[in-house]
Amino acid sequence: MSTNRDDVREFLVSRRARVRPEQVGLPAGPNRRVAGLRRGEVAMLADVSVEYYSRVERGALAGVSDGVLHAIAGALLLDDAERDHLFDMARAANTSPAQARRRSPMPKVLRPSLQFALDSFTGIAFVRNDRLDLLGANTLGRALYADLYADDARPNLARATFLRREWADRFHPDWDLAADQTVAILRAAAGHDPYDRDLQDLVGELSTRSPEFRAKWGAHDVRRHATGEKHFVHPAVGPLHLYFEGSRLMSDPSLSFLVYTAEPGSPTADALRVLGSIAATDERAVPTAR
């Protein structure tokens, strides 16, 4: 039996509450007693019976066809990341714990060839897993996260964001945005594999120790983390405005390879050159913000 029924229910209820009737061509009416759409309205938009949709929303995704999932995603106006999350939860609902245990475990260390690839980049490059453990980085990547590497050979970005608030508040100019993104990545990972014991332990730890994490986890937001911009304040070189590109490794789909770069000629490009010089001389010379 799947362990993700509660997550399915809470995700679908939260997405339904977010959609206003007028967004899907329905009259709003003055006497609505629920936020967003009613179950019957979602069922109508998805062309399924109210009873069937109600069963799905209660968490019963096992056996639901791709066509119905697409129809529900359309009715709820899910974005690409949310649609992927719904399909991930459906796949998990059709996977038994025994089948999940037969999957290859998530790598805990990098192959030497992967570290060689990281070291070949002149920008910031690192590999992380879906639990946000930093499994490897090049010299500039280690310099970016020098405070974390000083205490842990394999830092976890989620723990750092929520449990090292003095560091996180200085490092992230917009801590709330960084925290939202962190939780959304973990939530997507949990939808993909609800049987990941290490991820369950991490979420349990953060939920126990951080009220902020607990509240954000309950929002059921998910996101893709493939491209975009990042803003940091590094204790050695100050503000950094970086662009990132990320991709899954074909050999290890649970791992992501990310590269952070700066616009040529920008203050951030100059700052990265300084940071690289510091790191090349002695990584221990990078000051900490603790």
Side-chain angles (χ1 to χ4, degrees), residues 37-81:
L37 298 180
R38 303 182 179 97
R39 287 193 187 90
E41 291 169 333
V42 177
M44 179 189 68
L45 292 167
D47 197 23
V48 297
S49 70
V50 177
E51 292 77 12
Y52 188 84
Y53 177 73
S54 296
R55 182 169 65 84
V56 170
E57 194 178 89
R58 287 195 295 271
L61 277 182
V64 178
S65 70
D66 286 356
V68 170
L69 292 175
H70 279 296
I72 291 173
L76 296 175
L77 304 182
L78 302 187
D79 63 23
D80 290 342

Side-chain angles (χ1 to χ4, degrees), residues 92-139:
N94 288 284
T95 302
S96 70
Q99 290 172 316
R101 284 193 294 269
R102 289 196 293 269
R103 293 172 178 165
S104 298
M106 190 179 294
K108 296 183 181 297
V109 296
L110 296 188
R111 298 185 305 278
S113 60
L114 196 49
Q115 185 63 55
F116 298 156
L118 285 170
D119 293 337
S120 71
F121 281 85
T122 56
I124 295 165
F126 59 93
V127 172
R128 64 158 176 81
N129 59 24
D130 285 341
R131 295 188 295 267
L132 297 180
D133 296 317
L134 291 180
L135 300 186
N138 64 357
T139 299

Side-chain angles (χ1 to χ4, degrees), residues 138-157:
N138 64 357
T139 299
L140 203 54
R142 291 181 65 87
L144 176 68
Y145 293 110
D147 285 346
L148 305 186
Y149 275 108
D151 295 332
D152 191 344
R154 194 181 69 181
N156 180 273
L157 297 179

Side-chain angles (χ1 to χ4, degrees), residues 24 90 172 216 264:
V24 291
H172 296 291
K216 292 177 183 297

Side-chain angles (χ1 to χ4, degrees), residues 208-288:
T208 299
R209 299 177 62 186
S210 171
E212 294 93 343
F213 178 87
R214 191 161 57 246
K216 292 177 183 297
W217 185 254
H220 286 266
D221 291 331
V222 294
R223 76 185 301 265
R224 289 179 173 176
H225 197 74
T227 186
E229 300 181 25
K230 292 283 188 179
H231 296 268
F232 304 121
V233 178
H234 193 278
V237 296
L240 298 173
H241 178 192
L242 299 165
Y243 299 90
F244 75 90
E245 297 290 336
S247 62
R248 294 283 184 174
L249 296 179
M250 294 180 65
S251 57
D252 295 302
S254 63
L255 302 184
S256 295
F257 196 117
L258 291 106
V259 178
Y260 291 178
T261 56
E263 182 179 352
S266 66
T268 295
D270 294 337
L272 290 185
R273 279 192 289 272
V274 173
L275 185 59
S277 297
I278 296 172
T281 302
D282 186 349
E283 288 188 36
R284 292 172 300 176
V286 180
T288 68

Side-chain angles (χ1 to χ4, degrees), residues 164-206:
R164 290 190 59 172
R165 284 299 301 271
E166 184 178 355
W167 170 84
D169 287 341
R170 294 179 182 178
F171 189 71
H172 296 291
D174 187 341
W175 179 87
D176 200 57
L177 174 62
D180 284 341
Q181 292 172 342
T182 297
V183 173
I185 292 170
L186 293 182
R187 177 57 85 175
H192 177 71
D193 185 4
Y195 301 105
D196 184 337
R197 184 66 186 180
D198 290 334
L199 178 57
Q200 292 173 6
D201 290 345
L202 175 63
V203 170
E205 176 190 359
L206 295 176

